[in-house]
Amino acid sequence: MSTRLSIAEQIQRDYKRWLGEEGSLKEAIDRREVFPLINQVANELLGLQMQNGFKTGSIIIPSTIIATYSNHAVKQEHGRYYALLPVFPLSLPRNVGIFSVIPQSGAPLVDGKPFIPLTQEDWDLLRDTDEGLLEDQIGYYVEGRQVFFTKNPLVTVVKFKLLISDPALMGDGDPYPITPEIEATLIERVLAILKGNTSKQPTPKSQDR
Amino acid sequence: MVTITLDELIRKTLHKNGLPLHYYLPYLLFAKDGLKELKFTVLPCDNTVELTLDSRKEATLPADFVGEVAVYKAEGDKLIELPHNYLISTFDSPSAFPKELQINGADASTYIDEFGNDLAGDFGRINPRTDGYRIIPELNKIRLDNNSDLTKVYLKYVTLPKKTSNKTLVHPFIEPALTAYINWQVAFYTVNDRTVMLKRAEYYNQRRLAKINLYKINITDILTSFRMYHNQAVKS
């Protein structure tokens, strides 16, 4: 199974091969430069993969890219309850990037039933209607980094499940949370950026030189 | 009675359509619309209430009243359905009626009582109708003939879908029809015409099935199915 380290090493080897005899080890790219590029390109590819799924009407969410952030405090301000997003997830229709917000209570923490996701427009339009009661359930909507609840969530902490490839959640040797089918594309895209070529189709190696 | 909640139905429909919880609210909107339509068409009779009439022989309609099914009076241990009387005045108070009105040179009060009720309709009748009723939606009232001696009536009426602690309940027989309605409406706003037509046909099939499950077939259903694809009635 690929790890971020193994992907980075493969990119380094390919890059060095591309530099060939003209290049030297000094010119070889540092791993610390490759890691952020891998994360950025991985999120871009995952976002595109999901967007294409939405266009065809099928919403298949690879569970490998769900990042979990537990034990986040619920705060109150001017009668509104909210929690802060730990990171910004993938931008997808109907805020699917925020896969779920789950109440947590007890010690040890136990997950409850997920809150109902709404968009800001939904809540503005329907907050005073019967539908706004959400069948006696609690919803949430997002404003910037704040996740507001439609009423008191009755818990002090929540868990976020976000669609993102977050480097903070994994070590270099951990399995990298991308689907295998986009791994090759990820390496190609990172190499293309390193070579100064931002096109999505890197040119063959023989022509690169 | 066994019921399911609208929440359960929406979650099941989302799952069948391969959608996450993020589509809950659009589905909830469609489900509520569909449930209202089915309530008015397939499950019309919903609630019965005892109304006490005041001296004006009228009573305020229940807060959840949508439309009447029938009005009854109690006679012994039986309920007798009352007839409509569309001649009952809709004036809200006696003072609203112009007393100086003259009809054929005579004082209007000869023909019309102080509330504006037409008395001529009962002229010559041995047993004038006394217990007819009229629903007056603009006043939110039910009114009986002024000379009725009833003090209580029983109103059977259509209401909005029932809720238990803010959870809407759904009759199991209409669950497939409601699911079909949601799918039709989702298709209406998202996909091509042919799919919409198929989903629409599926909804009407399911609605018919729900009706068959709930009630015996009647003459109206038979005539409807005979004339389904014809715009004109059968000529004699």
Side-chain angles (χ1 to χ4, degrees):
Chain A
M1 191 175 286
S2 300
T3 64
R4 188 166 55 157
L5 188 62
S6 70
I7 295 171
E9 282 173 351
Q10 187 178 344
I11 290 167
Q12 281 178 309
R13 280 196 301 276
D14 285 354
Y15 185 68
K16 192 167 174 298
R17 208 170 293 132
W18 176 71
L19 287 173
E21 294 163 1
E22 294 168 18
S24 67
L25 277 176
K26 283 182 184 173
E27 286 173 302
I29 196 85
D30 193 288
R31 202 175 291 159
R32 284 171 299 182
E33 301 247 3
V34 181
F35 282 164
L37 278 175
I38 292 173
N39 292 324
Q40 287 156 9
V41 174
N43 282 319
E44 180 194 349
L45 292 174
L46 289 170
L48 283 171
Q49 191 186 29
M50 301 283 292
Q51 290 279 9
N52 289 336
F54 274 90
K55 280 178 197 163
T56 56
S58 62
I59 302 171
I60 299 162
I61 295 160
S63 47
T64 51
I65 66 159
I66 297 174
T68 304
Y69 303 84
S70 196
N71 203 5
H72 275 261
V74 174
K75 298 169 185 175
Q76 189 191 0
E77 192 178 274
H78 306 302
R80 296 166 85 195
Y81 294 85
Y82 70 94
L84 287 177
L85 279 175
V87 287
F88 285 106
L90 298 179
S91 172
L92 295 169
R94 295 204 69 83
N95 278 340
V96 174
I98 301 173
F99 188 66
S100 63
V101 182
I102 303 163
Q104 289 189 303
S105 58
L109 288 172
V110 177
D111 292 354
K113 198 174 172 184
F115 297 112
I116 305 291
L118 308 171
T119 62
Q120 176 75 60
E121 309 89 79
D122 288 341
W123 186 240
D124 287 348
L125 288 168
L126 300 168
R127 61 191 300 169
D128 296 326
T129 65
D130 187 40
E131 285 79 2
L133 295 172
L134 297 171
E135 294 293 298
D136 205 27
Q137 297 171 98
I138 303 166
Y140 71 86
Y141 57 95
V142 185
E143 281 180 20
R145 207 186 146 195
Q146 290 170 304
V147 174
F148 284 101
F149 299 98
T150 54
K151 57 184 177 184
N152 186 352
L154 305 171
V155 288
T156 53
V157 287
V158 291
K159 179 197 267 186
F160 288 105
K161 285 187 177 177
L162 307 178
L163 300 189
I164 188 172
S165 171
D166 185 1
L169 293 181
M170 68 193 94
D172 293 341
D174 292 337
Y176 196 65
I178 54 164
T179 50
E181 63 268 26
I182 63 169
E183 195 176 313
T185 317
L186 168 72
I187 292 166
E188 281 179 18
R189 290 278 294 121
V190 174
L191 273 173
I193 293 168
L194 290 173
K195 292 172 192 172
N197 176 11
T198 53
S199 76
K200 287 183 181 176
Q201 297 294 328
T203 50
K205 288 187 176 62
S206 58
Q207 291 176 17
D208 284 349
R209 296 186 67 185
Chain B
M1 181 182 160
V2 177
T3 52
I4 59 164
T5 63
L6 200 61
D7 178 53
E8 286 170 345
L9 183 133
I10 294 166
R11 284 171 189 269
K12 276 198 276 183
T13 312
L14 283 172
H15 184 259
K16 285 174 192 166
N17 292 349
L19 291 172
L21 197 58
H22 298 75
Y23 289 79
Y24 188 92
L25 191 65
Y27 273 56
L28 176 64
L29 291 172
F30 293 139
K32 290 244 176 188
D33 287 349
L35 192 57
K36 271 181 203 161
E37 186 180 315
L38 289 166
K39 210 70 177 172
F40 300 153
T41 52
V42 180
L43 287 169
C45 175
D46 206 59
N47 212 354
T48 306
V49 68
E50 181 187 277
L51 297 173
T52 304
L53 302 171
D54 62 13
S55 59
R56 176 78 200 274
K57 297 297 169 194
E58 66 183 23
T60 304
L61 294 169
D64 58 344
F65 175 87
V66 173
E68 103 259 26
V69 178
V71 179
Y72 302 92
K73 65 176 178 181
E75 251 185 39
D77 60 351
K78 291 188 176 63
L79 286 176
I80 310 293
E81 191 170 342
L82 300 179
H84 284 280
N85 183 355
Y86 293 111
L87 295 174
I88 291 173
S89 162
T90 57
F91 284 118
D92 195 21
S93 64
S95 59
F97 178 66
K99 287 178 181 169
E100 64 277 7
L101 187 67
Q102 298 278 313
I103 297 174
N104 294 334
D107 185 352
S109 61
T110 311
Y111 308 103
I112 302 171
D113 73 6
E114 57 176 331
F115 297 111
N117 289 316
D118 182 11
L119 302 175
D122 287 336
F123 182 77
R125 285 193 178 182
I126 297 166
N127 296 311
R129 283 193 300 177
T130 56
D131 292 335
Y133 74 92
R134 183 172 187 176
I135 301 283
I136 310 169
E138 62 270 29
L139 299 179
N140 194 30
K141 280 179 177 167
I142 178 173
R143 189 172 283 168
L144 265 73
D145 288 315
N146 205 23
N147 48 358
S148 167
D149 55 0
L150 292 175
T151 55
K152 282 180 180 174
V153 290
Y154 300 89
L155 173 66
K156 195 172 170 183
Y157 63 98
V158 181
T159 184
L160 292 174
K162 276 196 173 53
K163 282 185 165 194
T164 304
S165 63
N166 277 333
K167 288 185 190 298
T168 312
L169 301 178
V170 179
H171 192 294
F173 281 161
I174 65 165
E175 185 185 345
L178 191 51
T179 307
Y181 182 89
I182 295 169
N183 289 334
W184 167 33
Q185 290 299 304
V186 170
F188 184 81
Y189 287 102
T190 51
V191 294
N192 61 53
D193 287 349
R194 177 162 167 72
T195 312
V196 173
M197 292 308 288
L198 288 171
K199 305 264 183 190
R200 181 176 179 273
E202 172 64 11
Y203 164 64
Y204 280 104
N205 274 339
Q206 290 295 346
R207 197 174 85 170
R208 209 160 24 240
L209 186 63
K211 206 170 177 182
I212 290 165
N213 283 336
L214 285 161
Y215 310 109
K216 285 180 183 172
I217 193 164
N218 60 32
I219 187 69
T220 312
D221 297 327
I222 294 165
L223 287 173
T224 307
S225 61
F226 278 175
R227 297 171 181 172
M228 191 179 290
Y229 300 108
H230 302 279
N231 294 324
Q232 291 178 316
V234 178
K235 303 261 186 320
S236 57

